[in-house]
């Protein structure tokens, strides 16, 4: 397994540069296999989802928090790249996202699942009866395993002074499919995972998504990207 210190042919100080020149899909693929650490707990990322931005941006995405433009809640999604965007889901789950794209352009990668590689004892306390690969499966469980709070929102994941750090790993093979639980753009294949990894979550389509969902052409959602 790649060590935390290995990074995109460079050091972690280049994280913002690597992600800053990446669209959400490229960033999502690149983040897979990397390690997210908070304190003594570290997880290797095995499943992610890409999210774009508002209609004026290069990859408009109606499923993204940023689709209606910047707000106090989603402002971190508009950069700079390499920041941690933490939001509360259903009033209790803290979900972690890694911001990408150039400053002022919204884009982020939701961390959906990870393999706990350090801090088993701390995770056992935080996750109670959860055992095995399910301890950090699903964005809420992953946030709980890492002990994330809304106070971590906006942290620079490459900074040596940040309590939460992200380390890029070697590029890995992945599979793509629709994002979990979204009711709009429900068929866009912007979920990526490492095939065969037991920590990857099960796909569940939103009951609010149409039977024939409002398919958004990924090429349109990446309108400034070459084919």
């Amino acid at each position: 397994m790649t060590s935390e210190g290995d990074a995109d042919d460079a050091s972690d100080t280049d994280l913002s540069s690597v992600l800053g020149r990446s669209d959400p899909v490229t960033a999502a693929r690149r983040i897979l296999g990397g390690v997210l650490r908070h304190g003594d707990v570290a997880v290797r990322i095995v499943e992610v989802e890409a999210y774009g931005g508002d209609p004026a941006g290069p990859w408009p995405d109606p499923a993204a928090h940023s689709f209606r433009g910047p707000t106090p809640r989603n402002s971190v999604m508009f950069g700079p790249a390499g920041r941690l965007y933490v939001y509360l889901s259903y009033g209790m789950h803290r979900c972690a996202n890694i911001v990408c794209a150039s400053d002022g352009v919204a884009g982020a990668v939701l961390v959906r699942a990870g393999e706990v590689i350090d801090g088993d004892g701390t995770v056992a306390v935080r996750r109670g009866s959860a055992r095995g690969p399910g301890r950090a499966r699903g964005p809420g469980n992953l946030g709980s395993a890492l002990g994330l709070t809304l106070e971590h929102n906006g942290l620079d994941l490459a900074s040596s002074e940040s309590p939460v750090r992200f380390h890029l790993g070697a590029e890995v093979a992945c599979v793509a499919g629709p994002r979990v639980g979204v009711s709009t753009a429900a068929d866009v294949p912007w979920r990526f995972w490492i095939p065969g990894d037991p920590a990857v979550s099960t796909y569940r389509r939103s009951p609010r998504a149409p039977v024939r969902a409002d398919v958004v052409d990924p090429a349109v959602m990446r309108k400034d990207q070459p084919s």
Side-chain angles (χ1 to χ4, degrees):
M1 182 175 65
T2 304
S3 69
E4 290 182 50
D6 293 338
D8 201 60
D9 301 323
S11 68
D12 292 318
T13 57
D14 292 318
L15 177 65
S16 61
S17 177
V18 171
L19 297 182
R21 59 177 181 263
S22 299
D23 62 87
V25 168
T26 301
R29 292 177 179 272
R30 191 63 192 86
I31 285 169
L32 277 175
V35 173
L36 190 60
R37 173 180 286 278
H38 177 213
D40 65 332
V41 177
V43 298
R44 177 176 177 262
I45 298 173
V46 301
E47 181 186 359
V48 295
E49 289 178 348
Y51 286 90
D54 57 282
W59 34 78
D61 182 3
H65 289 175
S66 53
F67 186 64
R68 291 179 174 84
T71 67
R73 182 197 190 202
N74 68 23
S75 60
V76 175
M77 287 188 72
F78 288 81
R83 300 300 172 110
L84 179 67
Y85 169 45
V86 182
Y87 67 86
L88 199 62
S89 177
Y90 297 105
M92 56 182 174
H93 302 300
R94 283 93 62 201
C95 300
N97 302 257
I98 298 174
V99 176
C100 63
S102 56
D103 200 8
V105 176
V109 176
L110 171 66
V111 183
R112 280 203 54 84
E115 171 198 2
V116 178
I117 60 173
D118 201 5
D120 286 327
T122 301
V123 173
V125 172
R126 291 173 176 163
R127 294 284 291 117
S129 61
R131 296 289 183 270
R135 293 176 297 171
R137 180 191 293 137
N141 292 335
L142 184 142
S144 178
L146 283 166
L148 299 180
T149 72
L150 294 179
E151 293 183 358
H152 296 129
N153 185 46
L155 288 177
D156 181 354
L157 292 171
S159 172
S160 60
E161 298 180 357
S162 173
V164 185
R165 299 285 303 279
F166 174 68
H167 305 264
L168 288 166
E171 295 188 32
V172 297
C174 65
V175 179
R179 294 174 290 191
V180 175
V182 297
S183 58
T184 56
D187 293 309
V188 173
W190 279 13
R191 172 176 168 250
F192 303 93
W193 66 93
I194 298 175
D197 195 288
V200 172
S201 62
T202 301
Y203 172 72
R204 290 183 176 85
R205 187 180 182 85
S206 170
R208 296 177 294 160
V211 175
R212 292 182 61 83
D214 49 334
V215 178
V216 178
D217 185 350
V220 174
M221 295 176 72
R222 301 175 64 191
K223 62 189 180 186
D224 71 336
Q225 300 299 308
S227 58

